[in-house]
Amino acid sequence: MARFQRSAVPRLLYTLYSTKAAPYCSPSPTAALLLGNFEVRHFAAGNVARAKDDKEPWWKESMERLRNIGISAHIDSGKTTLTERVLYYTGRIHEIHEVRGKDGVGAKMDSMDLEREKGITIQSAATYCTWKDYQINIIDTPGHVDFTIEVERALRVLDGAILVLCSVGGVQSQSITVDRQMRRYEVPRLAFINKLDRMGADPWKVLNQARSKLRHHTAAVQVPIGLEENFKGLIDLVQLKAYYFHGSSGEKVVSEGIPADMEAIVAEKRRELIEVVSEVDDKLAEAFLNDEPISPADLEEAVRRATIARKFVPVFMGSAFKNKGVQPLLDGVLSYLPCPIEVSNYALDQTKNEEKVMLPGTPDGPLVALAFKLEEGRFGQLTYLRVYEGVVRKGDFIVNVNTGKKIKVPRLVRMHSNEMEDIQEAHAGQIVAVFGVDCASGDTFTNGSVKYTMTSMNVPEPVMSLAVQPVSKDSGGQFSKALNRFQREDPTFRVGLDAESGQTIISGMGELHLDIYVERIRREYKVDATVGKPRVNFRETITQRAEFDYLHKKQSGGQGQYGRVCGYVEPLPPGSPIKFEFENMIVGQAIPSNFIPAIEKGFKEAANSGSLIGHPVENIRVVITDGASHAVDSSELAFKLASIYAFRQYYSAARPVILEPIMLVELKVPTEFQGTVAGDINKRKGVIVGNDQDGDDSVITANVPLNNMFGYSTALRSMTQGKGEFTMEYKEHSPVSQDVQMQLVNTHKANKAVE
């Protein structure tokens, strides 16, 4: 290997591969393989191969010096303050402003109203900063489960995360929710116990809570020197050094030896750290069991391996407000969180029925990039892309897999706070923004050679609708602009027009989902909108076969109208993929074949609103068996009207029923509230289908009619002291009971009479 090391070209690659390489990024299998191939070719083909392989190290190193992280926490744990310090120490902002500071400037991250539903809000979805030659992208992580699609996409883009916990409040309800999401999307994470300067700060209590409530396999990698007002600095248990933070903003980090009075606790906590990590890391366990001395480098590598494998969560400490402990946390991000090559990302191959495909994540493959956030900028739509594989260059043609359109990349930028830096190309693992690309949030772009999507293209159907209209007529333009933008950002949000009332109808995944969009229209576009009562999307269907025979005849001077249709309607078999089927079984020319499409159109139109409550009729099959026509008076219109009237007249003979959307509701509540919650579900005519135990929580799954779920989030909060949470998704439409059907029909008739 010595000869190889002396060679000038692959020295960098060798450095990466050798055990003495920077401990921040252990070589991936790709690197080892790449190196092996390189070595053979290097000696075999000499200088010819050298030029060809020159390119390989550049992306290898830049990818290993890249981190994509999110910072999330319970409200008021100090997430904004921490992010402010991170930007300051990395040189991104030049002065620190407090969240509720006396200077009235406010933190950089709070460019929007504080009570907004976003977690960390920056002008951009991903801001990047540089720390010790490593590039760190900090990505906006939304908190709400209602925006399943948005949360999913934001967490897709992360490779690692920091979970901030308050040293006084401990593990709170939102911390549990955030942690559960990270676990669902398999994000490796570090924990940061903040606010050690506050009265009553107890990091060891919080650490035990993380073990019991979050089920984290965790241990501290730091010990604080003093607590509350005596909090002076930190001791690093891996490197065995004490850090103090001097200077007006804590920018000078001074490392010293461990104070004599703390040696005992440091030895105890370091042993605990080694024990906990060796439970999940075989290499360290071997050294630990053999009583070999464990060097800082060995321990650091073991912690890194365990963290990336999501078997261990290292705990950092500090006080962001008092400017202590932020720089070691940044070092921890570099040391313990994965670089893009170490995370396995999967794409769905659309040509093979959404089969999962593993992406190696190297710039050598075909381009695969995900548009995970849209923003209305000064220059039009700004689209944030996370490149998962391949390289995207300015001026390239890329294909939007979701729409099939081919687009040219006019301008490629890297966001730097609210300034933009133009770049020529971006490779796998990077996060960039493009201008002038018309797409929706969640679209996948490729170079056309593969048909992969990063998220499933099966968007769930909306389950709830609201009628909205702007209060003043003048704001109609802004109102429609807002609705168009939200539709592009969120595929589960739909906008339609009610043909009867002429109102704008917005549909979405639930009450909160629509409420927040109405609120955003008010905040971001300054348009006050009045909101109608929520409407559930009912459907109607028939339960038995009914014959029809209808003659439509109209004579009023000149050409009249004549059309007769005979046949039957019947329900489609359950589970049928189509909702409406039309079949022509006429033998001979009783009705000329050029009128058949008009008959089908008539039946389709009639099925758009059933006569029970005026909602669409589905799962029906219309078969036409006979009819009659007139040489002069028959026309397309006559047959269309004959079909509509035939459907309406014989519809009641087919015993129609109303179908309502049934939601699959998953509740997670502390066990002591289980009885109350289950009783309430039964009261709402829900059927409990599963009840599991998850630690101290009960997980209840139930099928509940959506019509009975209005205002449920408030009810659940009051039943469980704010500790319960629920998610619901559409399951199916199923028939309502007879009493509910009568009630709905009577309400519909009463509304009709009023109109």
Side-chain angles (χ1 to χ4, degrees):
M1 203 64 181
R3 242 179 82 214
F4 183 65
Q5 191 179 358
R6 280 197 296 275
S7 162
V9 181
R11 184 170 298 149
L12 192 146
L13 197 54
Y14 175 76
T15 317
L16 283 170
Y17 186 61
S18 74
T19 45
K20 298 182 187 67
Y24 293 145
C25 210
S26 54
S28 64
T30 341
L33 184 76
L34 198 140
L35 182 70
N37 292 348
F38 189 95
E39 193 174 4
V40 173
R41 283 183 306 201
H42 183 69
F43 294 121
N47 296 343
V48 185
R50 192 171 304 180
K52 190 180 166 190
D53 287 333
D54 247 356
K55 283 179 73 176
E56 291 182 0
W58 68 262
W59 62 257
K60 197 86 183 72
E61 189 188 24
S62 64
M63 290 215 22
E64 297 192 338
R65 291 189 170 273
L66 189 59
R67 299 286 181 273
N68 295 319
I69 63 161
I71 299 178
S72 41
H74 184 80
I75 305 114
D76 221 11
S77 296
K79 180 172 62 181
T80 308
T81 314
L82 174 65
T83 314
E84 184 83 354
R85 300 303 187 272
V86 168
L87 295 180
Y88 176 73
Y89 294 132
T90 54
R92 281 290 310 280
I93 53 177
H94 300 298
E95 50 185 329
I96 294 175
H97 296 289
E98 298 310 332
V99 175
R100 288 183 274 271
K102 293 189 180 72
D103 57 6
V105 178
K108 177 82 170 180
M109 292 301 192
D110 286 335
S111 55
M112 297 175 164
D113 299 350
L114 271 176
E115 67 278 307
R116 277 296 279 285
E117 62 282 336
K118 290 284 182 204
I120 51 170
T121 40
I122 325 168
Q123 279 95 338
S124 58
T127 178
Y128 89 95
C129 51
T130 317
W131 180 251
K132 297 189 176 173
D133 295 338
Y134 279 67
Q135 184 186 323
I136 303 175
N137 289 312
I138 300 175
I139 298 143
D140 189 349
T141 55
H144 269 130
V145 190
D146 271 61
F147 300 95
T148 20
I149 286 220
E150 193 161 320
V151 172
E152 195 162 321
R153 280 198 295 258
L155 289 170
R156 278 297 311 242
V157 176
L158 298 179
D159 293 331
I162 300 173
L163 178 67
V164 184
L165 301 169
C166 170
S167 68
V168 183
V171 174
Q172 291 149 295
S173 54
Q174 189 73 22
S175 324
I176 299 173
T177 315
V178 168
D179 185 70
R180 193 177 297 146
Q181 282 172 354
M182 289 181 190
R183 190 164 289 162
R184 192 179 304 144
Y185 297 109
E186 304 186 336
V187 179
R189 51 204 176 279
L190 312 175
F192 179 67
I193 299 178
N194 195 11
K195 304 194 179 185
L196 290 185
D197 59 308
R198 271 184 59 184
M199 286 289 290
D202 185 352
W204 309 114
K205 176 196 79 178
V206 181
L207 188 66
N208 289 328
Q209 278 183 351
R211 286 174 183 161
S212 60
K213 288 188 181 175
L214 301 177
R215 300 270 178 270
H216 276 180
H217 191 74
T218 182
V221 289
Q222 292 175 336
V223 172
I225 304 172
L227 281 174
E228 300 177 7
E229 66 268 23
N230 303 322
F231 177 49
K232 295 187 187 69
L234 295 160
I235 295 171
D236 185 331
L237 295 177
V238 178
Q239 305 294 344
L240 290 175
K241 283 179 187 166
Y243 292 118
Y244 297 94
F245 305 90
H246 298 309
S248 57
S249 307
E251 66 276 8
K252 296 192 187 80
V253 183
V254 179
S255 72
E256 293 177 10
I258 297 167
D261 59 338
M262 294 196 68
E263 279 174 358
I265 187 168
V266 168
E268 178 202 327
K269 294 295 178 190
R270 188 170 199 258
R271 186 174 173 82
E272 186 187 315
L273 170 67
I274 293 170
E275 271 177 30
V276 173
V277 177
S278 58
E279 281 173 31
V280 290
D281 186 81
D282 297 341
K283 201 170 166 189
L284 188 73
E286 204 175 307
F288 176 61
L289 293 171
N290 295 340
D291 272 344
E292 291 170 15
I294 290 163
S295 69
D298 291 344
L299 183 53
E300 190 170 305
E301 280 175 25
V303 173
R304 180 182 177 80
R305 283 193 300 269
T307 308
I308 292 175
R310 301 190 315 283
K311 291 176 180 171
F312 176 72
V313 179
V315 175
F316 289 80
M317 300 182 188
S319 162
F321 182 64
K322 288 283 194 283
N323 310 317
K324 291 182 172 71
V326 179
Q327 296 96 323
L329 176 68
L330 283 168
D331 290 340
V333 166
L334 309 184
S335 306
Y336 304 133
L337 287 181
C339 58
I341 325 175
E342 294 173 297
V343 180
S344 42
N345 286 303
Y346 293 94
L348 303 169
D349 192 341
Q350 294 303 323
T351 54
K352 294 182 184 165
N353 197 12
E354 298 212 337
E355 187 186 305
K356 267 191 165 187
V357 184
M358 169 97 172
L359 294 179
T362 60
D364 297 341
L367 171 72
V368 179
L370 172 73
F372 66 96
K373 175 128 178 152
L374 310 179
E375 200 175 272
E376 291 294 324
R378 292 193 300 272
F379 312 106
Q381 182 179 301
L382 184 63
T383 309
Y384 286 93
L385 288 182
R386 155 84 201 249
V387 187
Y388 283 98
E389 195 174 353
V391 179
V392 59
R393 292 183 183 85
K394 186 178 169 179
D396 272 4
F397 281 97
I398 56 175
V399 177
N400 182 337
V401 179
N402 299 53
T403 60
K405 284 184 187 165
K406 198 171 188 183
I407 311 158
K408 187 176 182 181
V409 180
R411 188 177 171 199
L412 200 60
V413 294
R414 186 153 61 177
M415 294 309 287
H416 207 309
S417 187
N418 44 8
E419 305 109 47
M420 285 164 296
E421 178 190 327
D422 275 282
I423 52 174
Q424 292 307 309
E425 62 172 33
H427 60 72
Q430 287 186 327
I431 288 170
V432 288
V434 287
F435 272 112
V437 171
D438 186 37
C439 68
S441 172
D443 285 359
T444 307
F445 292 97
T446 66
N447 57 2
S449 61
V450 288
K451 203 170 179 195
Y452 291 167
T453 57
M454 290 309 293
T455 48
S456 174
M457 286 167 71
N458 304 333
V459 176
E461 281 297 306
V463 291
M464 190 182 281
S465 307
L466 283 175
V468 287
Q469 60 193 74
V471 175
S472 68
K473 289 276 181 283
D474 312 341
S475 50
Q478 284 288 80
F479 182 67
S480 56
K481 197 172 162 187
L483 293 182
N484 283 338
R485 176 189 156 192
F486 296 150
Q487 258 182 297
R488 277 212 305 272
E489 281 187 11
D490 184 351
T492 55
F493 178 74
R494 314 271 171 91
V495 179
L497 204 67
D498 188 340
E500 286 175 21
S501 62
Q503 287 176 306
T504 304
I505 305 288
I506 57 172
S507 314
M509 299 313 294
E511 220 173 342
L512 179 69
H513 193 192
L514 296 177
D515 279 355
I516 283 184
Y517 276 120
V518 172
E519 184 61 19
R520 282 182 68 183
I521 291 172
R522 190 174 300 137
R523 293 268 180 83
E524 292 174 31
Y525 289 89
K526 308 283 183 286
V527 176
D528 273 328
T530 51
V531 180
K533 194 179 171 300
R535 281 191 353 189
V536 171
N537 298 340
F538 289 106
R539 295 280 181 269
E540 297 181 26
T541 190
I542 55 174
T543 54
Q544 66 181 34
R545 176 173 157 153
E547 309 277 339
F548 60 83
D549 180 351
Y550 186 83
L551 171 65
H552 172 65
K553 193 161 66 170
K554 194 177 180 187
Q555 196 68 45
S556 55
Q559 187 185 359
Q561 291 180 1
Y562 183 96
R564 180 180 173 205
V565 286
C566 310
Y568 59 88
V569 290
E570 62 179 3
L572 282 168
S576 161
I578 42 176
K579 305 276 188 261
F580 177 91
E581 193 178 299
F582 177 81
E583 201 169 331
N584 174 15
M585 291 178 77
I586 298 177
V587 179
Q589 284 290 315
I591 298 174
S593 55
N594 56 326
F595 293 138
I596 299 293
I599 296 173
E600 181 176 354
K601 201 173 175 187
F603 277 115
K604 260 193 181 155
E605 209 166 286
N608 271 341
S609 90
S611 52
L612 288 177
I613 53 168
H615 279 263
V617 183
E618 47 181 51
N619 291 344
I620 54 167
R621 181 164 179 258
V622 180
V623 179
I624 186 156
T625 54
D626 199 4
S629 65
H630 187 279
V632 178
D633 287 354
S634 283
S635 66
E636 287 196 354
L637 178 68
F639 275 108
K640 187 177 163 184
L641 291 171
S643 320
I644 291 173
Y645 295 137
F647 186 84
R648 287 188 186 155
Q649 191 172 332
Y650 293 94
Y651 182 58
S652 53
R655 300 230 339 249
V657 292
I658 298 171
L659 304 174
E660 64 178 344
I662 302 289
M663 307 301 283
L664 177 67
V665 181
E666 188 173 287
L667 297 119
K668 194 155 195 180
V669 295
T671 310
E672 66 259 34
F673 304 113
Q674 186 183 347
T676 328
V677 172
D680 183 69
I681 285 178
N682 291 331
K683 204 165 72 188
R684 293 173 189 268
K685 298 191 176 159
V687 178
I688 293 177
V689 289
N691 192 340
D692 293 318
Q693 205 65 22
D694 178 10
D696 306 334
D697 294 339
S698 282
V699 180
I700 301 172
T701 17
N703 297 335
V704 192
L706 174 65
N707 210 18
N708 303 339
M709 286 296 284
F710 288 125
Y712 187 64
S713 49
T714 324
L716 182 68
R717 269 190 212 127
S718 55
M719 279 187 291
T720 61
Q721 301 170 5
K723 292 176 189 163
E725 60 166 55
F726 78 102
T727 52
M728 68 177 179
E729 59 186 70
Y730 168 73
K731 184 173 186 279
E732 61 189 357
H733 270 78
S734 72
V736 300
S737 58
Q738 203 56 43
D739 58 323
V740 176
Q741 180 152 330
M742 286 300 298
Q743 198 182 326
L744 289 168
V745 171
N746 293 338
T747 315
H748 179 66
K749 281 181 182 161
N751 290 349
K752 272 240 152 3
V754 170
E755 283 169 17

